[in-house]
Amino acid sequence: EIVLTQSPATLSLSPGERATLSCRASQNVRNYLAWYQQKPGQAPRLLIYDASNRATGIPARFSGTGSGTDFTLTISSLEPEDFAVYYCQQRSNWPRVTFGQGTRLEIK
Amino acid sequence: QLQLQESGPGLVKPLETLSLTCTVSGGSISSSTYYWAWIRQPPGKGLEWIGSIYYSGDTDYNPSLKSRVTISVDTSKNQFSLKLTSVTAADTAMYYCARSQGTRHDYWGQGTLVTVSS
């Protein structure tokens, strides 16, 4: 099973700052990686798919990079509504998928 | 706009069977492009994929749950369902249904909390 490791576990930043979240895969997942945002009491929301493609309606401040085993989600300038938990997910053997353990982005 | 809605009992006794249904509206479950997935999230924890089904009935399950899980589809009702047998407190979670396309799950239901308790 491919394991995804997200870092840091918690990231404390202020609005307007740049956020950089990491996701590392235990094996090569090519570009088969997605990112989700989850706010309390809500279902996850798709942000990025195929490592770097923004989902419909996602603001341009969200961007994804990487391939193989190392991936990054960047939020260029944090808005108050961006503070949430972020998960990465791989699908190298679709439809079978695994998720990372999440990064909590909190207000400093 | 595609919508997914989970339904089923919120409380299940230990060792009994958890049964949930996901109703899809605003689109056809019979599209050849998509799989349909169940994903769960224990309170305060991360996301775990349970399994997925294609409209033809082809399934794939998380190996850690495979012996206890059955996912089925009813294309006439635009629904798919989850059964999880012999539940324990460890199966207490928010259960989500979602549409799976390529890399991602692009539409999710709001989730339904299932508690396992006597």
Side-chain angles (χ1 to χ4, degrees):
Chain A
E1 175 185 306
I2 296 176
V3 176
L4 297 178
T5 302
Q6 292 187 241
S7 61
T10 303
L11 184 58
S12 300
L13 293 170
S14 300
E17 291 192 294
R18 182 184 188 90
T20 303
L21 287 68
S22 175
C23 178
R24 177 163 291 179
S26 60
Q27 300 174 39
N28 184 354
V29 299
R30 295 199 275 179
N31 70 329
Y32 297 149
L33 192 101
W35 290 93
Y36 300 85
Q37 176 193 68
Q38 187 178 33
K39 297 179 180 179
Q42 297 184 15
R45 177 174 73 143
L46 176 67
L47 298 176
I48 301 288
Y49 65 95
D50 293 345
S52 61
N53 295 300
R54 271 190 304 276
T56 303
I58 301 303
R61 64 181 181 272
F62 291 91
S63 63
T65 58
S67 67
T69 60
D70 289 298
F71 300 86
T72 300
L73 174 69
T74 301
I75 310 171
S76 59
S77 179
L78 285 165
E79 298 287 341
E81 62 267 26
D82 297 337
F83 292 91
V85 179
Y86 291 83
Y87 294 95
C88 58
Q89 172 239 296
Q90 66 82 23
R91 61 121 278 191
S92 64
N93 189 21
W94 191 59
R96 189 172 295 193
V97 303
T98 55
F99 293 89
Q101 83 280 15
T103 289
R104 180 177 304 279
L105 178 56
E106 64 178 25
I107 300 177
K108 188 172 182 180
Chain B
Q1 174 78 350
L2 190 78
Q3 292 186 320
L4 294 85
Q5 179 68 58
E6 304 89 351
S7 59
L11 182 64
V12 181
K13 290 183 169 55
L15 302 181
E16 294 191 345
T17 297
L18 180 160
S19 296
L20 296 175
T21 295
C22 181
T23 300
V24 179
S25 58
S28 174
I29 203 169
S30 299
S31 170
S32 60
T33 307
Y34 310 112
Y35 271 78
W36 303 90
W38 287 100
I39 295 162
R40 71 180 183 178
Q41 185 172 37
K45 296 188 178 180
L47 299 164
E48 179 182 36
W49 174 73
I50 300 170
S52 298
I53 191 164
Y54 197 54
Y55 76 96
S56 63
D58 289 346
T59 55
D60 197 8
Y61 300 132
N62 187 321
S64 69
L65 298 169
K66 188 172 184 176
S67 64
R68 299 194 292 130
V69 173
T70 302
I71 298 175
S72 58
V73 65
D74 186 336
T75 55
S76 68
K77 295 182 179 179
N78 230 31
Q79 294 176 334
F80 62 108
S81 298
L82 168 69
K83 290 190 186 299
L84 181 65
T85 62
S86 302
V87 297
T88 69
D91 295 308
T92 293
M94 186 71 78
Y95 285 76
Y96 296 101
C97 59
R99 189 178 81 171
S100 176
Q101 177 186 16
T103 313
R104 71 273 195 189
H105 297 90
D106 54 359
Y107 286 91
W108 295 64
Q110 64 186 23
T112 188
L113 179 63
V114 178
T115 301
V116 178
S117 175
S118 55

